[in-house]
Amino acid sequence: MSRRSGPLAPGVALITGGARGLGNAIAVSFAKEGARGVAIVDIQDDATFAEGKKTVEDIGCECLTIRADVTKEADMERAVAEAVAKFGRIDYAANFAGVIGPVKPLSETKLTDWQKTQDVNSTGIFLATKYELRQMMQQSSIEGIEEGRVPQRGSIINCASVNSLLAYPGTTAYTASKHACSGITKAAALEGRKQRVRVNAVSPGFLLTKMLEPLVKDEAHLEAGEAMWRSFVERQGREARFEEVGDVVVLMSLPRMSLVVGQNLFVDGGFTINEGND
Ligand SMILES: NC(=O)c1ccc[n+]([C@@H]2O[C@H](COP(=O)([O-])OP(=O)(O)OC[C@H]3O[C@@H](n4cnc5c(N)ncnc54)[C@H](O)[C@@H]3O)[C@@H](O)[C@H]2O)c1
């Protein structure tokens, strides 16, 4: 018996929504834990892609950028193929591309806004999981992990939200899309486990990313936006850091999490178990 040594997460990671925000924090966490390659899949502008790539490469990990829209089947199929052409396989996938969608009462929500939200947050998760599973199911198990571990061909982590369990007035489209993400994860997990691919979800609490800035920092409703944010942070216990989500995704992806299948882990400082704001 000896102490463990070597990188925590050797292998290759593919992250949708990886150019910025929580997706990029995951890319950085994989790089820090010894991934040999990271592919970031996004629809961002060149400057954001370049910044996201640099944060990964500054750690000494090769980073491939792939411009692809998760709502388009041909794009997602190509994204997986490009990552495999470059790195030979995908050991860990994190599906974090997402949009907040319309924040308004259901009775005033346009069908097109509803559909766009489902397209990215639900169909995007379906398509990403589909092509990642196809790749992972046919590749060999990851090497370089501790002897005696249950073999793992791949791990997929889908990004849900506290809105995969709870709701907030004015968030019907987002809440429905995140409940869908949770459902896709469960069914895919039961299919993936037969081939030694684990599929799980994480549900972050509240982090002030670019996705939420327009809501919280809306000049027209600044006081209300900031008050709402304060109440979220109080219920969460404190401000959260992006890397706290990144690190959880890496840990959940490891072969030593072998018995964790189809779960939705709330990474929210206690938000969802808190009845009040204390
Ligand atoms: N910030 C939070 O508090 C919070 C909480 C819970 C869940 N989430 C989820 O985290 C994920 C990441 O969001 P974030 O907060 O980092 O915001 P973000 O806007 O910084 O990141 C989202 C990324 O997804 C990309 N994206 C959007 N549509 C896409 C498409 N069609 N194809 C490819 N990429 C696309 C965007 O370009 C962006 O880079 C989302 O799924 C979001 O719902 C965020």
Side-chain angles (χ1 to χ4, degrees):
M1 196 76 87
S2 60
R3 282 177 192 268
R4 292 183 181 122
S5 63
L8 193 62
V12 176
L14 177 143
I15 297 139
T16 75
R20 74 175 195 197
L22 300 184
N24 195 249
I26 293 161
V28 167
S29 289
F30 272 114
K32 282 185 178 166
E33 299 304 342
R36 76 178 159 87
V38 169
I40 54 179
V41 178
D42 211 307
I43 50 169
Q44 278 295 335
D45 54 83
D46 289 349
T48 307
F49 257 122
E51 206 179 313
K53 179 179 166 79
K54 187 174 181 305
T55 57
V56 175
E57 292 190 335
D58 281 350
I59 300 159
C61 173
E62 195 166 0
C63 181
L64 174 70
T65 56
I66 302 171
R67 187 176 302 282
D69 183 335
V70 297
T71 70
K72 298 190 174 136
E73 181 149 21
D75 276 26
M76 208 47 237
E77 185 173 17
R78 173 178 53 81
V80 167
E82 277 185 30
V84 173
K86 170 78 178 168
F87 296 118
R89 53 187 290 127
I90 299 169
D91 296 293
Y92 323 106
N95 297 323
F96 269 63
V99 292
I100 189 75
V103 179
K104 51 176 62 171
L106 186 156
S107 55
E108 291 167 25
T109 298
K110 285 192 207 148
L111 177 60
T112 48
D113 290 341
W114 156 273
Q115 279 169 335
K116 171 75 185 161
T117 315
Q118 311 316 314
D119 281 353
V120 181
N121 296 357
S122 171
T123 306
I125 292 285
F126 158 70
L127 288 175
T129 305
K130 174 176 174 178
Y131 287 98
E132 292 155 1
L133 262 180
R134 279 193 184 183
Q135 168 57 31
M136 289 173 177
M137 282 171 159
Q138 48 143 336
Q139 66 190 18
S140 57
S141 298
I142 188 168
E143 287 178 7
I145 63 162
E146 202 179 345
E147 215 175 302
R149 287 277 164 196
V150 174
Q152 174 174 297
R153 284 195 171 123
S155 156
I156 300 172
I157 308 281
N158 289 326
C159 183
S161 156
V162 297
N163 289 63
S164 68
L165 179 71
L166 307 173
Y168 195 82
T171 66
T172 305
Y174 187 74
T175 299
S177 72
K178 292 299 184 180
H179 275 63
C181 171
S182 162
I184 294 165
T185 300
K186 288 177 192 167
L190 294 176
E191 297 174 20
R193 71 177 184 176
K194 297 188 183 116
Q195 306 286 341
R196 303 199 304 267
V197 179
R198 290 185 309 108
V199 186
N200 288 286
V202 292
S203 283
F206 289 84
L207 300 105
L208 199 45
T209 59
K210 292 262 186 312
M211 184 184 84
L212 291 184
E213 271 178 15
L215 281 183
V216 179
K217 298 186 171 171
D218 175 9
E219 289 295 335
H221 309 98
L222 200 54
E223 219 172 293
E226 287 180 352
M228 177 187 70
W229 188 254
R230 270 197 306 279
S231 81
F232 289 163
V233 170
E234 270 171 38
R235 183 168 167 182
Q236 185 168 260
R238 63 174 170 81
E239 299 271 1
R241 296 179 185 179
F242 295 10
E243 65 263 32
E244 290 182 284
V245 177
D247 288 347
V248 167
V249 170
V250 171
L251 293 171
M252 273 189 89
S253 305
L254 302 180
R256 70 184 67 166
M257 298 293 274
S258 43
L259 214 47
V260 179
V261 171
Q263 297 302 304
N264 179 4
L265 182 66
F266 288 79
V267 188
D268 66 358
F271 185 97
T272 45
I273 53 95
N274 189 359
E275 273 189 326
N277 276 17
D278 294 331

